[in-house]
Amino acid sequence: MDHARAAISNLFGGEPTSYTRFSIARQTDGDNSHVEMNLAADEEEGGEIGKPEHLHASMPPPRRNGKNLCLIIMAAVVLLLIGFLIGYLSYRGRMQRVNRCLDGSGNCEMTPTASYFSDDGMEEEEVSGPRILYWPELRNMLAAKLSAPCLEANMRQREGKTSFEAGKVEDENTASYIHDQFTRFRLDDVWNDEHYVRLQDTGSSKNQVFIVEDGQEELESPDAYVAYSKNGTVTGKPIYVNYGRKEDFQQIRIMGIPMNGTIIIFRAGKITLAEKVANARKEGAVGALMFPDTSNNKKTDSFVPFGHAHLGTGDPFTPGFPSFNHTQFPPLESSGLPPIPVQTISRVAAAKLFGKMDGDKCLQDWTSVMGCKVTVNRNMTVKLTVNNVMVDRKILNIFGVIKGFEEPDRYVVLGAQRDSWGPGAAKAGVGTAILLELARVISDMVKNDDYKPRRSIIFASWSAGEYGAVGATEWLEGYSTTLHAKAFTYINLDTAVLGSRDVKISASPLLYSLLETVMKRVKDPTKDSGNLYSRVGNDWIKRVVPLDLDNAAFPFLAYSGIPVVSFGFYDENDEYSFLGTTEDTLANLKEKTDKLYPLMRTAAEVAGQIALRLTHDHELFLDLDRYSEELLSFQEKLLHFDSNVKALGLTLNWLYFARGDFQRAADTLRRDIANSDRENRIVRRALNDRMMKVEYDFLSPFLSPKDAPFRHIFFGKGSHTLQSLLENLKQLKDNENSVDVDELKEQLALATWTIKAAANALVGDIWNTDNEI
């Protein structure tokens, strides 16, 4: 105390007139109850030697002069600075702990607390609540609860049934079973979503393919059909065009083979059947046939796959509208409906047809069956008859939800297709089994293990997926005004296991970092040690597969602007040949891989970790920098065409400026997040909402959703996409006169202002936008 008093005395340049001293002296017998309190002046200056401490002469207080006042002010400033430093260091330490939580390291609180805002806006006192579940503990809990036997039991629900066609009895029975399971799992809400859609079914007689040459010989009359094909009979010379891609048709043109009035033959793979048919129609074909690609499993040579030819998703007779029963539908049809008959055939039938053709042999990398030919020289034609009929059916989407404890109006959606033309073990069974298992496990974690997700988790079972994600698309169309602002991720569970050797990933760039983090924590089921990340390698992003029209995640991303991820196992050079056929059975799938249930469990763990992490953390695990990298990569590709564009009196500079604006806007948001108080729920929600909108902001706002439903400039379909712009520029470089300059100007304008609009939205407030353009 004496030292402290001396320090204060020196600081203020004078002495205190008195002080209070508490003296507690321990006695030899251990009693320390004696307390002495003195009120005294400084002994050294005012006391008398040899007198007791409590006897002092009175001293007048020292005079305060200007110098003392100045020192007092300086001392106050020093104290304020010390207080500021203590507060800053405390805040910085808390932020470092939160940052450690974001990458999954360390034990840190990442669950909602019991502190909420009262009605008057004042924060109430935090009260004690259930135990805190840290992310590592939550991740391990998920892994421990996922059960391969439960997945097997879910798969066996489809055994003994030959078809689950959308809107028919088995589809409705399965919908009822899923509804009951969601209820048994004690989800917070379970409900149905009804849609009345127009589908296509087989007619009273089978579709037929004939070879016409000195008479008529039946090639094949399969039970399978292609939904939304045009009905009728057409005849034309057969031409084989490999996979039916644009580059394949270009090769036929180089060979000087006319395609107008022909029937185009192509093999399955690379692109969807609908895209193949659209390419054939552009070349003037009157019909199209598709056969399965080469397979190591010879018993599939006689199988004929089902398919659909609608170049789009959803009900093609209500384009842009939800198919609710009370809607007064206008007389519209989707522009994606094919104007030509289409049918699938077996590899056996394709080989027989090639045997009748006597034209040019196939290119080496086009060969798919023995005796492959491109054309026919003699007077031989193919006749195709399609007798499909349109039917109106009610379909059901089944939903269950675990509501968030902090932001129930923000949710992640896990979904799986339920219907199939055949048994659909791989097509629909695997995804549905994983969906049910994740609903069971996560609900159990919430009900029995004190997990309290911040945001909601929705489990969705879709119908009419075989016809082009009809159920999922109709739901998106019905709630298009709100979903993009509330659903921040869709996780697709369809066809999660088609093999075991390779990993197939399709995802929005916003989810790359989260997916990589998850793969580092999930064990590889095909090896005794190691994780999934060690299997895919550090360059896995280069092998991300673009989403196609047949993936239910596609409309979520390209139509609604919701980030998506689709993850699964397959064999790249030996695909599962039973997919889409009546032989897609559990037995055939288990024959394809002897690790079916461990692979399903791993796929469930990946999907579950993504869903839990997105509903667990304070900050949404969405990586803005990935889109900045995508835009920079796009700009680098554009540089090759700079001189060609300038020759037309145009410039790419405005597009470059827009990309720079997006980069600066992303940097601004990242700084706002770093400098914010992440414990403040209102601020955190506002920042998360800005991140959520990034995907949606890449939907071109200058196009009508009815005329161009897939408006995403990265992943959509149409002339507004960045890929279409690159293709036009390549065409310009090859032949300047082959490009419509006005169309190119429109493409440049749409791309520039869509990117600019995304940058403006990312910044936040209108007064913070970069208005250089």
Side-chain angles (χ1 to χ4, degrees), residues 198-200 226-230 308 310 316-317 337-338 390 467:
R198 182 165 293 182
L199 307 176
Q200 202 174 48
V226 175
Y228 301 125
S229 165
K230 183 180 179 180
H308 78 89
H310 175 215
F317 297 95
L337 284 174
M390 289 294 176
Y467 295 84

Side-chain angles (χ1 to χ4, degrees), residues 362-367:
C362 291
L363 302 174
Q364 184 174 358
D365 58 348
W366 283 28
T367 301

